[in-house]
């Protein structure tokens, strides 16, 4: 429990936690002048402080690239922990020894500074010009007069004879090529089990900090095999069990519901001053699968995807079509998406998607959006699911788009069974405009990353609508089981 801080402290260094310990965020600002600490950095640093105080023993954090992950975990944290306890043996590991030693040298420079000496006068490392017997190299530095040290090692490097109190694993895969290699993933896991875990003792702590690359990377394997709890509320930090991993995933663009730990609304960027929503949306549009993995902490492998990037596209609509229609499914809850799709049916039975409204906005907003789309596309038949207020929505849209014949029905069939059993037919008959990933990037992402394991998916809205279009246009017998009601708007 942190002691309340005075409103006007005499100086930064005099600002202490109970027992004379400076808070980690204050330490960071003191030793790195001009360091920007945003709201998400405060959350991250609070977690690192709990780890440094040994109140958390097993922590996993996934953070997008270029958001200050390694500065906090692998540069500032080791220096801070050696200041708190100069007898600690800390090891930093990364995908190669060069990167790990770079973290080590940056931590050493902080420990050389006057600011650090003012905060932690009892922790000193050998000056570069000194002839002290204490070791100081790029990979190892000892604390003078104490047993503590900071050691760095590359993945699969040896730790023979080294007991470790604190293990910090920071990005054990260099890039997607390494993470997608089963051999490298297997070697990394073997090294973790046979080297890292064998160096730990009863009082050891582990911090794993990654940009995610693959479902079966080290984080993925640990989460599948060991007890873990997702951090959503700061109250969870109190009395956390030492045998359980505490997991924090910070999305670059908020997709998940707001929590006390991450109160952003959907669509808000993690660090808007450096990585704004428009920049991130552009990266997502270029490669949604990699974006979900690296920036959102939600890796998928192609073998586990229902559709992947296998949708057919078209450059021009065929000159002759037999039908111009729309299918709309309103959002199930306040966190889901309304999905409304306009399409043309070709003479060969192919379904050409022409326009889409895919939005989490409230009904009074989406009613206007859907109506304008129906008018702009000259839609003559529009089918609405009446579940979840869909009937009232359909009536409102019908008044705004009087030329469309509005039909509604209640969908009672099992959603999981419908989506999974019709997935191949969806890929066979549905055709999107060639630029659809740019026009509707969120919908593209939700479809391209949709998994075969139904319960692993957060959003079912887009697959549900594509399935319903197939059931309506390609599998007419399914339509016979649906009792449709036609509504004609007052002219």
């Amino acid at each position: 429990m942190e002691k309340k801080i005075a409103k006007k402290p005499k100086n930064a260094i005099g600002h202490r936690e109970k027992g004379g310990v400076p808070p980690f965020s204050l330490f960071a600002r003191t030793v790195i002048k001009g360091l920007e600490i945003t709201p998400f950095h405060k959350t991250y640093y609070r977690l690192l402080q709990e780890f440094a105080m040994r109140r958390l023993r097993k922590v996993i954090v996934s953070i997008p690239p270029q958001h200050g992950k390694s500065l906090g975990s692998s540069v500032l944290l080791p220096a801070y922990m050696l200041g708190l306890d100069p007898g600690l043996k800390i090891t930093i590991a990364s995908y190669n020894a060069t990167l790990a030693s770079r973290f080590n040298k940056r931590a050493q420079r902080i420990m050389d500074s006057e600011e650090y000496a003012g905060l932690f006068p009892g922790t000193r490392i050998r000056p570069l010009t000194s002839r002290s017997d204490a070791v100081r190299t790029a990979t190892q530095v000892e604390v003078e007069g104490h047993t503590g040290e900071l050691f760095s090692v590359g993945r699969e490097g040896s730790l023979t004879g080294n007991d470790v109190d604190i293990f910090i694993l920071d990005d054990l895969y260099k890039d997607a090529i390494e993470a997608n290699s089963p051999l490298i993933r297997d070697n990394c896991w073997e090294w973790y089990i046979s080297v890292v875990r064998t160096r730990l003792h009863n009082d050891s702590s582990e911090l794993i900090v990654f940009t995610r690359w693959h479902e079966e990377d080290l984080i993925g394997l640990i989460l599948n095999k060991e007890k873990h709890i997702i951090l959503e509320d700061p109250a969870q930090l109190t009395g956390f069990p030492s045998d359980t991993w505490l997991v924090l995933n910070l999305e670059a663009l908020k997709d998940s519901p707001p929590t006390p730990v991450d109160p952003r609304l959907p669509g808000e960027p993690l660090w808007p001053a450096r990585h704004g929503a428009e920049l991130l949306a552009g990266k997502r549009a270029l490669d949604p699968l990699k974006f979900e993995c690296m920036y959102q902490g939600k890796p998928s492998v192609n073998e586990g995807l229902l559709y992947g990037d296998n949708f057919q596209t078209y450059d021009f609509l065929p000159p002759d079509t037999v039908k111009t229609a729309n299918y709309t499914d309103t959002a199930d809850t306040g966190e889901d998406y309304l999905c409304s799709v306009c399409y043309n049916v070709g003479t060969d039975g192919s379904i050409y998607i022409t326009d889409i409204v895919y939005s989490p906005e409230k009904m009074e907003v989406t009613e206007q959006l859907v109506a304008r789309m129906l008018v702009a596309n000259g839609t003559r038949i529009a089918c609405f699911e009446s579940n979840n207020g869909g009937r009232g929505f359909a009536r409102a849209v019908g008044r705004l788009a009087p030329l469309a014949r509005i039909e509604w029905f209640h969908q009672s069939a099992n959603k999981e069974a419908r989506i999974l059993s019709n997935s191949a037919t969806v890929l066979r008959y549905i055709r999107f405009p060639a630029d659809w990933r740019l026009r509707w990037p969120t919908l593209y992402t939700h479809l391209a990353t949709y998994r075969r394991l139904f319960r692993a998916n957060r959003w079912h809205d887009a697959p549900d609508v594509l399935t319903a279009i197939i059931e309506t246009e390609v599998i007419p017998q399914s339509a016979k089981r649906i009792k449709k009601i036609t509504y004609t708007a007052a002219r």
Side-chain angles (χ1 to χ4, degrees):
M1 182 70 68
E2 291 185 358
K3 186 176 180 179
K4 289 187 177 180
I5 295 170
K7 292 182 179 179
K8 295 182 180 180
K10 293 182 179 180
N11 56 62
I13 295 178
H15 196 160
R16 291 288 195 270
E17 192 190 58
K18 184 178 180 180
V21 176
F24 185 73
S25 58
L26 174 63
F27 164 77
R29 287 194 300 266
T30 301
V31 298
I32 300 181
K33 300 300 182 184
L35 178 66
E36 181 182 2
I37 299 182
T38 69
F40 97 82
H41 286 110
K42 291 179 182 178
T43 298
Y44 180 37
Y45 285 5
R46 167 74 190 283
L47 185 61
L48 294 181
Q49 178 170 321
E50 294 298 305
F51 180 82
M53 301 300 293
R54 313 301 295 279
R55 293 190 280 254
L56 297 173
R57 304 292 291 277
K58 300 161 79 74
V59 175
I60 289 174
V61 184
S62 54
I63 296 181
Q66 300 299 311
H67 279 70
K69 163 181 57 65
S70 295
L71 176 62
S73 67
S74 304
V75 177
L76 288 166
L77 182 64
Y80 183 69
M81 294 192 73
L82 286 172
L84 299 179
D85 183 352
L88 286 176
K89 294 182 179 296
I90 303 176
T91 295
I92 306 171
S94 192
Y95 61 80
N96 65 27
T98 301
L99 181 60
S101 64
R102 188 183 305 161
F103 295 146
N104 198 324
K105 288 186 287 186
R106 292 179 68 187
Q108 291 180 34
R109 285 196 289 271
I110 287 175
M111 297 174 72
D112 279 330
S113 69
E114 294 180 3
E115 291 80 6
Y116 185 86
L119 290 168
F120 298 117
T123 300
R124 295 179 301 164
I125 58 176
R126 179 174 69 86
L128 291 172
T129 57
S130 170
R131 294 185 177 181
S132 166
D133 291 335
V135 173
R136 182 170 183 177
T137 67
T139 59
Q140 183 180 15
V141 61
E142 295 178 339
V143 180
E144 290 190 318
H146 298 275
T147 58
E149 67 173 6
L150 178 59
F151 187 76
S152 55
V153 64
R155 184 191 68 219
E156 300 176 34
S158 174
L159 287 171
T160 303
N162 291 59
D163 288 332
V164 180
D165 301 315
I166 309 295
F167 227 125
I168 300 171
L169 305 174
D170 185 345
D171 277 341
L172 291 186
Y173 307 95
K174 181 179 181 180
D175 50 29
I177 294 176
E178 283 201 350
N180 285 323
S181 166
L183 177 62
I184 291 179
R185 292 199 309 273
D186 288 347
N187 288 345
C188 182
W189 177 251
E190 177 63 27
W191 176 77
Y192 175 72
I193 294 300
S194 62
V195 177
V196 174
R197 283 289 180 94
T198 59
R199 298 296 99 195
L200 304 179
H201 52 80
N202 286 343
D203 296 323
S204 296
S205 300
E206 293 179 80
L207 172 65
I208 300 179
V209 188
F210 272 20
T211 291
R212 295 298 303 274
W213 290 102
H214 193 280
E215 276 191 320
E216 296 179 353
D217 59 20
L218 183 64
I219 288 179
L221 292 174
I222 288 175
L223 296 185
N224 282 332
K225 297 174 183 291
E226 299 191 323
K227 292 187 293 185
H228 63 276
I229 295 175
I230 305 300
L231 177 61
E232 295 183 340
D233 193 312
Q236 294 173 269
L237 299 177
T238 303
F240 196 83
S242 60
D243 63 342
T244 302
W245 289 94
L246 182 63
V247 182
L248 173 64
N249 176 47
L250 292 169
E251 304 161 312
L253 279 175
K254 185 68 170 174
D255 274 343
S256 58
T259 66
V261 163
D262 187 358
R264 291 177 294 153
L265 297 175
E268 290 188 19
L270 189 61
W271 194 354
R274 291 287 300 274
H275 306 275
E278 185 176 353
L279 175 68
L280 293 171
K283 292 180 178 181
R284 169 177 267 174
L286 286 175
D287 195 326
L289 291 178
K290 280 194 174 62
F291 185 88
E292 289 299 298
C293 181
M294 296 171 59
Y295 288 87
Q296 303 296 88
K298 302 169 187 174
S300 299
V301 292
N302 287 334
E303 292 80 4
L305 298 178
L306 187 64
Y307 308 115
D309 197 18
N310 297 313
F311 285 98
Q312 299 188 64
T313 60
Y314 68 90
D315 294 309
F316 303 100
L317 280 171
D320 298 319
T321 56
V322 298
K323 188 176 183 181
T324 301
N326 168 275
Y327 193 99
T328 299
D329 183 12
T330 56
D332 289 341
T333 71
E335 297 167 359
D336 291 327
Y337 282 74
L338 171 136
C339 186
S340 181
V341 177
C342 286
Y343 61 92
N344 290 356
V345 180
T347 55
D348 62 348
S350 298
I351 298 165
Y352 297 86
I353 307 300
T354 56
D355 210 348
I356 294 173
V357 171
Y358 192 63
S359 172
E361 295 286 348
K362 296 180 179 179
M363 283 192 178
E364 52 264 33
V365 175
T366 53
E367 286 169 357
Q368 301 284 336
L369 296 175
V370 172
R372 286 200 292 268
M373 179 176 68
L374 297 183
V375 172
N377 285 269
T379 302
R380 292 294 178 261
I381 302 173
C383 191
F384 292 75
E385 290 190 12
S386 62
N387 313 42
N388 307 303
R391 186 175 302 182
F393 185 92
R395 287 195 179 103
V397 171
R399 288 191 292 268
L400 296 170
L403 296 183
R405 189 181 77 196
I406 306 297
E407 299 177 347
W408 68 68
F409 68 94
H410 179 77
Q411 177 60 266
S412 59
N414 181 269
K415 183 180 295 186
E416 177 179 0
R418 291 173 51 247
I419 291 174
L420 297 181
S421 61
N422 286 294
S423 59
T425 312
V426 165
L427 291 175
R428 179 181 177 185
Y429 284 93
I430 297 286
R431 287 162 171 72
F432 284 94
D435 62 347
W436 73 293
R437 67 163 62 183
L438 300 177
R439 291 175 63 181
W440 310 298
T442 303
L443 175 131
Y444 177 87
T445 299
H446 289 178
L447 286 171
T449 60
Y450 196 81
R451 305 186 187 196
R452 295 181 184 277
L453 183 62
F454 185 80
R455 65 178 180 273
N457 298 294
R458 171 66 183 82
W459 288 282
H460 306 282
D461 314 280
D464 191 24
V465 167
L466 294 187
T467 299
I469 292 173
I470 288 297
E471 291 172 332
T472 301
E473 306 297 345
V474 181
I475 312 174
Q477 61 270 24
S478 65
K480 294 178 183 178
R481 299 193 300 267
I482 300 171
K483 182 180 179 182
K484 293 186 178 181
I485 300 175
T486 301
Y487 166 75
T488 304
R491 300 294 190 258

